Amino acid sequence: MDKVLEEALKNCEDEPIQSPESIQPHGVLLALDYDLNILRVSQNTEEFLDIKAESMLQQPLQAFFNVPDVLEMKLQTLEHPLPDQQSDFYFQPNNLYELNCLANQQRYSCLVTFQEKYLLLELERVTPEYLLPDGFMISKELIFSFHQAPQKLEEILSKNLQRLQKLTGFGRLGVYKFDHQWNGQVIAEVKKESMPSYLGLHFPASDIPAQARALYTKNWLRLISDVDYTPVPIIGTTNLQTHLPLDLSFSTLRSVSPVHIQYLKNMDVKASCSISIIIDGQLWGMIVCHDDAPLYLSPQKRIVCVHIGQMLSIQISAYQKQQHTFLQERQYSGFEVISNRLIEADNLLLELKNSAHRLMEILTATGLWGIVDNQELLEGNVPSNPTERQILLDFLNDYFHKHDKPFITENLDKTLKISDEFTEKASGVLALPISGKNNHFLIWFKQEQITSAAWGGKPKKDIVITDGYPKLLPRASFETWKTNVRGESSPWMLNDLKGLMALKNAILTNLLIRSEKIAERKEELEKEVARKTESLKKIKSQLEDILASLKRDERLENFAYITSHDLQEPLRQISTFTQLMKKRLDGRLDAKEQGYLKFIVDGTENMQLLIDDLLEYSRLTRQEYAIEEIDLNKLLPKVLYLFQETIQNTEAQIQVDVLPVITGKKVLVQQLFQNLLSNAFKYRNPKLPPMISIEVEDKTNHWQFVVKDNGIGISEEFHEVIFQLFKRLHTKHAYKGSGMGLTLCQKIVQQHLGNIWVNSAPQAGSSFYFTISKILTYDSSNF
């Protein structure tokens, strides 16, 4: 918040509005001690009572009025009421009396407020009240309005505003409801045609600052009968030693802040009345009454208005509790059904996954993130970046070390700013710790809800510097001003934690049951180990046979290496001689002889390819390669560069994920990708440009890669055969090759403690999957 604005708001809140040392002129104020001696008096007594104000100071009340016996008896009973009892006595019918003035022989309505050290008497001229509604009938109609056919709260309030409008005569009445930040909104309204509507408009908290809200919580009604009034000063003192200002918190004649008066004038309002709606001791909202002409309400009508406000407060409270109870029971019922299933579940994470949609539906969430048994559950619209989710988890771990309750917010940014993408999916967060010791959580998300709010004028007020101090100016315009609210989700409708606790206990019970089953299985496993130990002897014998077989395979590989190496030189001689012969006999051979020569050339080329692949295959087992960190994001471009001409000629499209840094044998990993990409280009669909993608997925203990293409595909019956040595599915004339490419890939993957397999169908492309372990160590130079 701007520092100048913050200081202006502080200055506004420091204004002593409860003790303005003046009153409105439609009555007379007397402050008395409990012996009925007049301590202070408003200066308009001569106009009202034909008595000069100064002459009344330090005189007994009986010197100017006939004091009713009932008032004197009340004083003897109350003596000195405690501060927290003041509101109990204020604005009750038995606190309204009539006093006869001895000076002019006129009758005055007298409203008595009992303060801790003095009394306040507010005198107003008696006005005949014909057809004043009966309080019992008003209560009955108001209560019935809440218990008719199901209605929205706003509809019920509108009907009661109509009754209040008939009673008071105000031109516009609205119910002004506060939100959790003390901003207000007019949620119901009745009005005459000549006055503008404020229904649905929002107003900032600064319109009714904290000290004003405190007064509305103490005093149920505030009346301004004419905004153009001239304040009447109060003379005298309640304490000759301290000269403290008179507390008029409970006074209906209390003069109003000039800022508020100007605010009303800017609204073209001439008269105003506010009736508080207080629920559980908190200011829930107000009934705000306006008129475009001065309007006076007698004390009798004001008492009825307060009665309506009190009854409305009770009924709104009951209505909300009924709604909350219904929601609470529905939530608990939903949680209970899921909890019962979780207790009996053999696979806890799977059951949570199956219940995820319902768990989100109960709390109107858009995403669910669960961490149970070191396994992760991600359902719905959940932030996708694992690093950012970990930031939230670290924050929650710290929160739950300090607080023994769920973490709930509709605006995560105010507590923890992570990123814009995170805010879009997780403005609202409800986190339930299952077991802090084992880092078990359930976290619900609500996505950002961008709402458009219509304000009664620009929310930010203007500031003026007066005597070096910033002060707020009342809003000059109330034309609709629209703003977008971002970074917030819809509210979490959670009325108690019983359902969440049932869910938490069900998960803990499941974990406990499983731990008991593990203990029961321990003894069985020990017996099983004894049985297995005996069978190990047989397995040992089998392993010895396998070892002998492996040694034979090693000799075979040595033979393949020696053979292929020794064949290299004779094959080169044949190839060289054949090429020389073709050059010298060019143009002298008939078609048949040229065919023979071509057969020799093709044969030597195929033989050379076969020998090269044999050497490569033998090299995998004979040569040692260092294990190192490999940044695949740097390695793969080098591999693709080898196919640059093919990519251009075929108009191929290549898509590559962001790849990890792995641990492995760099030369072999490059050969692996090179072979798989070579196959993707070789066996492409001749009617389509090649589309090749390389994707990766983190599988905890290993990386899983897949190379996908849109080529001619492979029948399911050949999915295993293609990895065998020298196995080909096509003739050498259709596709060149020795049939060892995938065998080499399998050998490379096995050296990285992984597996390789294919998913494919004819004319549907192929997806070659392979895994590379994360647990290779640098001192493991070979396998």
Side-chain angles (χ1 to χ4, degrees):
M1 183 185 294
D2 183 88
K3 288 186 177 180
V4 176
L5 175 59
E6 189 174 356
E7 186 178 354
L9 288 171
K10 180 67 170 60
N11 292 335
C12 178
E13 292 177 0
D14 289 342
E15 182 183 1
I17 60 175
Q18 77 281 1
S19 53
E21 289 295 288
S22 62
I23 65 168
Q24 299 178 58
H26 59 266
V28 170
L29 178 74
L30 304 176
L32 299 80
D33 61 20
Y34 273 79
D35 293 326
L36 299 187
N37 295 313
I38 299 173
L39 306 176
R40 302 196 65 182
V41 62
S42 59
Q43 272 191 336
N44 59 346
T45 56
E46 189 169 5
E47 175 188 346
F48 266 79
L49 308 174
D50 295 331
I51 304 171
K52 288 187 176 182
E54 291 80 358
S55 66
M56 298 182 73
L57 293 173
Q58 304 304 317
Q59 299 298 316
L61 182 66
Q62 294 86 341
F64 307 101
F65 298 94
N66 290 325
V67 180
D69 292 341
V70 65
L71 177 56
E72 291 191 355
M73 290 176 61
K74 179 100 174 189
L75 293 174
Q76 292 173 5
T77 304
L78 296 175
E79 288 294 329
H80 300 283
L82 297 173
D84 60 356
Q85 294 177 322
Q86 294 168 11
S87 59
D88 295 335
F89 304 128
Y90 183 64
F91 260 176
Q92 298 298 325
N94 59 339
N95 288 346
L96 184 62
Y97 306 91
E98 278 196 10
L99 296 184
N100 288 319
C101 180
L102 299 176
N104 59 12
Q105 297 302 312
Q106 291 187 17
R107 293 182 304 128
Y108 294 88
S109 295
C110 176
L111 191 62
V112 182
T113 305
F114 300 91
Q115 304 281 8
E116 184 178 5
K117 296 181 179 180
Y118 49 85
L119 307 175
L120 291 182
L121 270 63
E122 298 179 271
L123 304 177
E124 299 176 45
R125 293 185 177 93
V126 172
T127 57
E129 292 291 351
Y130 300 107
L131 301 177
L132 189 66
D134 179 76
F136 173 76
M137 289 304 298
I138 292 175
S139 301
K140 181 179 176 182
E141 292 175 356
L142 192 149
I143 292 171
F144 281 174
S145 70
F146 278 85
H147 295 277
Q148 293 173 355
Q151 306 171 81
K152 291 184 177 180
L153 179 61
E154 292 78 4
E155 296 173 351
I156 300 172
L157 294 175
S158 294
K159 292 178 181 178
N160 284 287
L161 287 179
Q162 292 172 5
R163 296 188 181 96
L164 192 58
Q165 187 178 37
K166 291 179 182 179
L167 170 67
T168 63
F170 277 97
R172 180 178 60 225
L173 295 86
V175 174
Y176 184 95
K177 183 180 182 296
F178 292 106
D179 65 15
H180 64 286
Q181 294 179 324
W182 294 110
N183 299 312
Q185 183 185 15
V186 179
I187 63 171
E189 182 185 74
V190 295
K191 70 177 191 69
K192 59 185 182 183
E193 290 185 5
S194 62
M195 299 191 73
S197 173
Y198 292 135
L199 181 62
L201 295 186
H202 296 254
F203 296 83
S206 58
D207 277 16
I208 305 177
Q211 82 276 33
R213 297 194 297 267
L215 276 182
Y216 286 125
T217 307
K218 291 180 180 180
N219 193 335
W220 283 84
L221 185 141
R222 191 268 294 132
L223 172 69
I224 305 172
S225 59
D226 186 352
V227 297
D228 292 319
Y229 77 88
T230 300
V232 178
I234 303 170
I235 65 172
T237 179
T238 55
N239 189 318
L240 295 174
Q241 295 177 337
T242 59
H243 299 285
L244 291 175
L246 195 63
D247 185 357
L248 300 182
S249 297
F250 295 94
S251 168
T252 190
L253 292 175
R254 175 178 55 83
S255 192
V256 183
S257 167
V259 175
H260 185 61
I261 291 295
Q262 188 60 51
Y263 181 91
L264 294 174
K265 289 180 179 180
N266 293 344
M267 295 179 79
D268 294 325
V269 168
K270 295 295 185 182
S272 170
C273 179
S274 298
I275 305 167
S276 299
I277 300 175
I278 301 172
I279 296 177
D280 297 330
Q282 299 293 321
L283 187 63
W284 181 90
M286 299 186 299
I287 302 171
V288 181
C289 312
H290 291 153
D291 206 86
D292 51 12
L295 189 107
Y296 171 74
L297 293 182
S298 68
Q300 290 84 352
K301 280 191 177 181
R302 298 201 299 268
I303 287 173
V304 175
C305 289
V306 168
H307 179 71
I308 291 175
Q310 292 172 338
M311 291 302 301
L312 202 57
S313 298
I314 293 170
Q315 291 304 309
I316 291 174
S317 176
Y319 178 91
Q320 291 186 155
K321 287 178 180 177
Q322 182 183 32
Q323 297 296 312
H324 290 172
T325 299
F326 172 76
L327 179 60
Q328 174 184 326
E329 290 175 352
R330 189 179 68 177
Q331 286 181 346
Y332 182 72
S333 174
F335 280 130
E336 188 177 34
V337 171
I338 295 172
S339 298
N340 290 336
R341 291 205 301 263
L342 289 176
I343 290 175
E344 302 295 333
D346 292 328
N347 188 324
L348 182 59
L349 193 71
L350 179 61
E351 187 59 47
L352 280 171
K353 183 178 179 64
N354 293 337
S355 304
H357 178 74
R358 181 64 181 134
L359 285 171
M360 290 188 286
E361 185 180 61
I362 292 172
L363 295 175
T364 62
T366 52
L368 178 65
W369 179 24
I371 302 174
V372 179
D373 274 353
N374 295 319
Q375 298 180 80
E376 195 171 41
L377 169 72
L378 297 171
E379 293 292 328
N381 196 9
V382 175
S384 58
N385 189 316
T387 303
E388 293 183 345
R389 291 201 304 270
Q390 186 60 47
I391 292 173
L392 175 62
L393 199 59
D394 292 341
F395 165 79
L396 290 173
N397 273 315
D398 183 62
Y399 173 87
F400 291 126
H401 282 145
K402 300 173 183 176
H403 304 89
D404 186 24
K405 60 181 180 180
F407 173 78
I408 303 174
T409 182
E410 287 92 24
N411 190 334
L412 182 63
D413 272 3
K414 286 187 176 180
T415 306
L416 180 68
K417 178 66 177 177
I418 298 180
S419 72
D420 291 341
E421 186 270 342
F422 202 94
T423 297
E424 288 177 8
K425 295 183 178 181
S427 288
V429 175
L430 191 160
L432 176 69
I434 305 301
S435 171
K437 181 179 179 181
N438 297 313
N439 204 29
H440 294 169
F441 291 95
L442 280 181
I443 303 170
W444 286 262
F445 296 112
K446 280 194 177 190
Q447 64 189 25
E448 179 184 33
Q449 186 177 65
I450 303 174
T451 56
S452 179
W455 295 82
K458 188 176 180 180
K460 187 175 180 180
K461 290 187 175 181
D462 294 327
I463 300 173
V464 63
I465 306 297
T466 303
D467 298 329
Y469 296 97
K471 292 185 178 180
L472 292 178
L473 290 178
R475 190 177 301 111
S477 170
F478 290 85
E479 292 185 8
T480 302
W481 180 281
K482 291 188 177 181
T483 61
N484 287 331
V485 179
R486 304 207 56 165
E488 293 186 6
S489 70
S490 59
W492 292 103
M493 302 301 290
L494 189 68
N495 295 298
D496 68 27
L497 302 178
K498 188 167 67 170
L500 284 177
M501 292 303 104
L503 187 68
K504 174 179 179 176
N505 291 335
I507 296 174
L508 289 173
T509 301
N510 180 284
L511 294 172
L512 178 62
I513 291 173
R514 281 199 293 160
S515 67
E516 291 176 348
K517 288 182 178 179
I518 290 173
E520 292 173 359
R521 282 284 295 161
K522 183 179 179 182
E523 184 177 352
E524 296 177 11
L525 288 173
E526 289 175 351
K527 295 178 181 178
E528 185 69 18
V529 167
R531 290 193 297 269
K532 293 296 183 182
T533 302
E534 183 64 28
S535 66
L536 281 176
K537 296 178 181 178
K538 297 179 181 179
I539 294 173
K540 180 182 178 183
S541 175
Q542 294 173 358
L543 287 175
E544 289 173 347
D545 293 342
I546 292 172
L547 181 60
S549 175
L550 289 175
K551 288 180 178 179
R552 287 194 297 273
D553 289 343
E554 183 179 355
R555 288 194 295 271
L556 178 61
E557 289 171 353
N558 290 337
F559 172 76
Y561 174 76
I562 294 169
T563 302
S564 58
H565 185 272
D566 291 347
L567 285 174
Q568 287 272 45
E569 185 57 31
L571 188 63
R572 271 196 298 270
Q573 293 176 1
I574 294 172
S575 178
T576 301
F577 178 76
T578 305
Q579 294 291 343
L580 183 61
M581 184 186 298
K582 182 180 179 181
K583 183 177 180 181
R584 289 185 177 181
L585 298 177
D586 186 32
R588 291 187 288 170
L589 299 176
D590 59 25
K592 190 174 183 179
E593 290 169 334
Q594 288 179 4
Y596 291 151
L597 191 60
K598 184 176 185 301
F599 180 80
I600 296 171
V601 171
D602 290 346
T604 55
E605 287 180 353
N606 289 332
M607 179 64 74
Q608 184 63 53
L609 180 63
L610 178 61
I611 291 173
D612 288 344
D613 285 346
L614 271 173
L615 282 171
E616 183 67 25
Y617 181 78
S618 299
R619 182 166 55 87
L620 291 180
T621 55
R622 296 175 60 83
Q623 185 170 337
E624 295 185 358
Y625 297 93
I627 294 175
E628 58 185 300
E629 283 193 349
I630 308 169
D631 187 344
L632 296 181
N633 295 298
K634 295 180 179 179
L635 178 70
L636 201 63
K638 297 178 181 178
V639 176
L640 291 173
Y641 181 77
L642 300 175
F643 299 96
Q644 185 176 11
E645 184 177 350
T646 303
I647 292 172
Q648 292 175 350
N649 293 339
T650 61
E651 298 182 351
Q653 297 182 28
I654 313 293
Q655 292 184 341
V656 182
D657 273 359
V658 176
L659 301 175
V661 175
I662 66 170
T663 303
K665 301 177 180 181
K666 188 172 183 178
V667 173
L668 300 187
V669 171
Q670 180 171 337
Q671 184 70 49
L672 172 63
F673 279 105
Q674 187 173 325
N675 285 5
L676 292 176
L677 286 170
S678 176
N679 278 359
F681 286 117
K682 182 187 297 184
Y683 300 107
R684 64 180 179 270
N685 188 329
K687 298 179 181 179
L688 298 172
M691 294 182 65
I692 303 170
S693 67
I694 301 174
E695 302 170 9
V696 64
E697 188 174 350
D698 190 340
K699 292 289 189 178
T700 307
N701 293 324
H702 61 267
W703 299 102
Q704 179 175 296
F705 298 86
V706 58
V707 179
K708 298 180 180 180
D709 63 55
N710 62 339
I712 61 175
I714 305 167
S715 297
E716 185 176 358
E717 60 187 295
F718 299 118
H719 283 186
E720 294 184 8
V721 173
I722 57 175
F723 294 103
Q724 296 177 11
L725 196 62
F726 303 125
K727 293 294 182 181
R728 296 174 50 86
L729 305 184
H730 308 278
T731 65
K732 293 181 180 179
H733 298 290
Y735 297 97
K736 288 186 176 181
S738 64
M740 293 185 62
L742 290 176
T743 307
L744 291 172
C745 290
Q746 186 180 56
K747 194 74 172 178
I748 293 170
V749 169
Q750 288 173 349
Q751 290 211 18
H752 289 81
L753 302 183
N755 295 306
I756 185 170
W757 67 97
V758 66
N759 286 339
S760 182
Q763 303 307 315
S766 300
S767 296
F768 281 89
Y769 292 83
F770 63 92
T771 61
I772 291 181
S773 175
K774 293 182 180 180
I775 60 173
L776 296 180
T777 56
Y778 294 102
D779 57 354
S780 300
S781 58
N782 210 345
F783 300 99

PDB file of all heavy atoms in Angstrom, residues 561-574:
ATOM      1  N   TYR A 561      34.620 -61.717 -33.538  1.00  0.00           N
ATOM      2  CA  TYR A 561      35.516 -60.570 -33.690  1.00  0.00           C
ATOM      3  C   TYR A 561      36.709 -60.922 -34.565  1.00  0.00           C
ATOM      4  O   TYR A 561      37.072 -60.200 -35.496  1.00  0.00           O
ATOM      5  CB  TYR A 561      35.992 -60.100 -32.318  1.00  0.00           C
ATOM      6  CG  TYR A 561      37.033 -59.009 -32.398  1.00  0.00           C
ATOM      7  CD1 TYR A 561      36.667 -57.701 -32.701  1.00  0.00           C
ATOM      8  CD2 TYR A 561      38.387 -59.296 -32.209  1.00  0.00           C
ATOM      9  CE1 TYR A 561      37.615 -56.699 -32.801  1.00  0.00           C
ATOM     10  CE2 TYR A 561      39.343 -58.309 -32.314  1.00  0.00           C
ATOM     11  CZ  TYR A 561      38.956 -57.000 -32.594  1.00  0.00           C
ATOM     12  OH  TYR A 561      39.900 -56.017 -32.698  1.00  0.00           O
ATOM     13  N   ILE A 562      37.329 -62.086 -34.256  1.00  0.00           N
ATOM     14  CA  ILE A 562      38.526 -62.486 -34.994  1.00  0.00           C
ATOM     15  C   ILE A 562      38.177 -62.724 -36.459  1.00  0.00           C
ATOM     16  O   ILE A 562      38.864 -62.273 -37.378  1.00  0.00           O
ATOM     17  CB  ILE A 562      39.143 -63.746 -34.364  1.00  0.00           C
ATOM     18  CG1 ILE A 562      39.663 -63.406 -32.953  1.00  0.00           C
ATOM     19  CG2 ILE A 562      40.254 -64.307 -35.240  1.00  0.00           C
ATOM     20  CD1 ILE A 562      40.051 -64.642 -32.153  1.00  0.00           C
ATOM     21  N   THR A 563      37.035 -63.413 -36.655  1.00  0.00           N
ATOM     22  CA  THR A 563      36.632 -63.749 -38.030  1.00  0.00           C
ATOM     23  C   THR A 563      36.355 -62.486 -38.828  1.00  0.00           C
ATOM     24  O   THR A 563      36.851 -62.308 -39.947  1.00  0.00           O
ATOM     25  CB  THR A 563      35.379 -64.643 -38.001  1.00  0.00           C
ATOM     26  OG1 THR A 563      35.662 -65.806 -37.242  1.00  0.00           O
ATOM     27  CG2 THR A 563      34.958 -65.016 -39.427  1.00  0.00           C
ATOM     28  N   SER A 564      35.539 -61.616 -38.247  1.00  0.00           N
ATOM     29  CA  SER A 564      35.177 -60.400 -38.976  1.00  0.00           C
ATOM     30  C   SER A 564      36.397 -59.512 -39.214  1.00  0.00           C
ATOM     31  O   SER A 564      36.529 -58.883 -40.261  1.00  0.00           O
ATOM     32  CB  SER A 564      34.099 -59.613 -38.217  1.00  0.00           C
ATOM     33  OG  SER A 564      34.562 -59.293 -36.919  1.00  0.00           O
ATOM     34  N   HIS A 565      37.331 -59.487 -38.233  1.00  0.00           N
ATOM     35  CA  HIS A 565      38.525 -58.677 -38.394  1.00  0.00           C
ATOM     36  C   HIS A 565      39.415 -59.220 -39.498  1.00  0.00           C
ATOM     37  O   HIS A 565      39.952 -58.485 -40.340  1.00  0.00           O
ATOM     38  CB  HIS A 565      39.276 -58.620 -37.060  1.00  0.00           C
ATOM     39  CG  HIS A 565      40.462 -57.696 -37.088  1.00  0.00           C
ATOM     40  ND1 HIS A 565      41.707 -58.129 -37.495  1.00  0.00           N
ATOM     41  CD2 HIS A 565      40.582 -56.370 -36.788  1.00  0.00           C
ATOM     42  CE1 HIS A 565      42.554 -57.121 -37.437  1.00  0.00           C
ATOM     43  NE2 HIS A 565      41.897 -56.023 -36.998  1.00  0.00           N
ATOM     44  N   ASP A 566      39.582 -60.581 -39.525  1.00  0.00           N
ATOM     45  CA  ASP A 566      40.464 -61.201 -40.513  1.00  0.00           C
ATOM     46  C   ASP A 566      39.874 -61.155 -41.917  1.00  0.00           C
ATOM     47  O   ASP A 566      40.612 -61.232 -42.919  1.00  0.00           O
ATOM     48  CB  ASP A 566      40.741 -62.659 -40.124  1.00  0.00           C
ATOM     49  CG  ASP A 566      41.625 -62.741 -38.863  1.00  0.00           C
ATOM     50  OD1 ASP A 566      42.184 -61.679 -38.484  1.00  0.00           O
ATOM     51  OD2 ASP A 566      41.723 -63.822 -38.272  1.00  0.00           O
ATOM     52  N   LEU A 567      38.523 -61.050 -41.994  1.00  0.00           N
ATOM     53  CA  LEU A 567      37.889 -60.994 -43.311  1.00  0.00           C
ATOM     54  C   LEU A 567      37.968 -59.611 -43.946  1.00  0.00           C
ATOM     55  O   LEU A 567      37.691 -59.455 -45.137  1.00  0.00           O
ATOM     56  CB  LEU A 567      36.402 -61.401 -43.197  1.00  0.00           C
ATOM     57  CG  LEU A 567      36.114 -62.897 -43.020  1.00  0.00           C
ATOM     58  CD1 LEU A 567      34.638 -63.112 -42.779  1.00  0.00           C
ATOM     59  CD2 LEU A 567      36.557 -63.673 -44.259  1.00  0.00           C
ATOM     60  N   GLN A 568      38.311 -58.630 -43.164  1.00  0.00           N
ATOM     61  CA  GLN A 568      38.317 -57.252 -43.657  1.00  0.00           C
ATOM     62  C   GLN A 568      39.254 -57.095 -44.854  1.00  0.00           C
ATOM     63  O   GLN A 568      38.887 -56.529 -45.889  1.00  0.00           O
ATOM     64  CB  GLN A 568      38.762 -56.288 -42.546  1.00  0.00           C
ATOM     65  CG  GLN A 568      37.710 -56.075 -41.483  1.00  0.00           C
ATOM     66  CD  GLN A 568      36.783 -54.931 -41.863  1.00  0.00           C
ATOM     67  OE1 GLN A 568      36.326 -54.834 -43.014  1.00  0.00           O
ATOM     68  NE2 GLN A 568      36.507 -54.060 -40.915  1.00  0.00           N
ATOM     69  N   GLU A 569      40.509 -57.594 -44.746  1.00  0.00           N
ATOM     70  CA  GLU A 569      41.525 -57.362 -45.784  1.00  0.00           C
ATOM     71  C   GLU A 569      41.174 -58.092 -47.077  1.00  0.00           C
ATOM     72  O   GLU A 569      41.187 -57.480 -48.162  1.00  0.00           O
ATOM     73  CB  GLU A 569      42.906 -57.775 -45.272  1.00  0.00           C
ATOM     74  CG  GLU A 569      44.042 -57.463 -46.232  1.00  0.00           C
ATOM     75  CD  GLU A 569      44.116 -55.987 -46.592  1.00  0.00           C
ATOM     76  OE1 GLU A 569      43.729 -55.142 -45.723  1.00  0.00           O
ATOM     77  OE2 GLU A 569      44.488 -55.642 -47.727  1.00  0.00           O
ATOM     78  N   PRO A 570      40.828 -59.411 -47.031  1.00  0.00           N
ATOM     79  CA  PRO A 570      40.436 -60.073 -48.294  1.00  0.00           C
ATOM     80  C   PRO A 570      39.247 -59.399 -48.956  1.00  0.00           C
ATOM     81  O   PRO A 570      39.196 -59.270 -50.176  1.00  0.00           O
ATOM     82  CB  PRO A 570      40.084 -61.498 -47.862  1.00  0.00           C
ATOM     83  CG  PRO A 570      40.791 -61.692 -46.568  1.00  0.00           C
ATOM     84  CD  PRO A 570      40.866 -60.357 -45.919  1.00  0.00           C
ATOM     85  N   LEU A 571      38.300 -58.960 -48.162  1.00  0.00           N
ATOM     86  CA  LEU A 571      37.103 -58.333 -48.729  1.00  0.00           C
ATOM     87  C   LEU A 571      37.463 -57.021 -49.412  1.00  0.00           C
ATOM     88  O   LEU A 571      36.937 -56.686 -50.480  1.00  0.00           O
ATOM     89  CB  LEU A 571      36.069 -58.099 -47.633  1.00  0.00           C
ATOM     90  CG  LEU A 571      34.702 -57.627 -48.128  1.00  0.00           C
ATOM     91  CD1 LEU A 571      34.053 -58.692 -49.013  1.00  0.00           C
ATOM     92  CD2 LEU A 571      33.790 -57.309 -46.940  1.00  0.00           C
ATOM     93  N   ARG A 572      38.397 -56.273 -48.827  1.00  0.00           N
ATOM     94  CA  ARG A 572      38.823 -55.019 -49.448  1.00  0.00           C
ATOM     95  C   ARG A 572      39.491 -55.298 -50.801  1.00  0.00           C
ATOM     96  O   ARG A 572      39.321 -54.556 -51.767  1.00  0.00           O
ATOM     97  CB  ARG A 572      39.776 -54.270 -48.531  1.00  0.00           C
ATOM     98  CG  ARG A 572      39.064 -53.336 -47.556  1.00  0.00           C
ATOM     99  CD  ARG A 572      40.034 -52.328 -46.947  1.00  0.00           C
ATOM    100  NE  ARG A 572      41.098 -52.962 -46.168  1.00  0.00           N
ATOM    101  CZ  ARG A 572      40.979 -53.218 -44.853  1.00  0.00           C
ATOM    102  NH1 ARG A 572      39.866 -52.920 -44.219  1.00  0.00           N
ATOM    103  NH2 ARG A 572      41.980 -53.783 -44.214  1.00  0.00           N
ATOM    104  N   GLN A 573      40.306 -56.383 -50.835  1.00  0.00           N
ATOM    105  CA  GLN A 573      40.980 -56.733 -52.098  1.00  0.00           C
ATOM    106  C   GLN A 573      39.969 -57.078 -53.186  1.00  0.00           C
ATOM    107  O   GLN A 573      40.089 -56.644 -54.334  1.00  0.00           O
ATOM    108  CB  GLN A 573      41.934 -57.908 -51.864  1.00  0.00           C
ATOM    109  CG  GLN A 573      43.121 -57.535 -50.969  1.00  0.00           C
ATOM    110  CD  GLN A 573      43.999 -58.744 -50.666  1.00  0.00           C
ATOM    111  OE1 GLN A 573      43.723 -59.854 -51.134  1.00  0.00           O
ATOM    112  NE2 GLN A 573      45.054 -58.530 -49.890  1.00  0.00           N
ATOM    113  N   ILE A 574      38.932 -57.865 -52.782  1.00  0.00           N
ATOM    114  CA  ILE A 574      37.887 -58.241 -53.753  1.00  0.00           C
ATOM    115  C   ILE A 574      37.175 -56.991 -54.250  1.00  0.00           C
ATOM    116  O   ILE A 574      36.938 -56.815 -55.448  1.00  0.00           O
ATOM    117  CB  ILE A 574      36.886 -59.232 -53.120  1.00  0.00           C
ATOM    118  CG1 ILE A 574      37.585 -60.559 -52.819  1.00  0.00           C
ATOM    119  CG2 ILE A 574      35.674 -59.449 -54.025  1.00  0.00           C
ATOM    120  CD1 ILE A 574      36.732 -61.520 -52.019  1.00  0.00           C
TER     121      ILE A 574
END
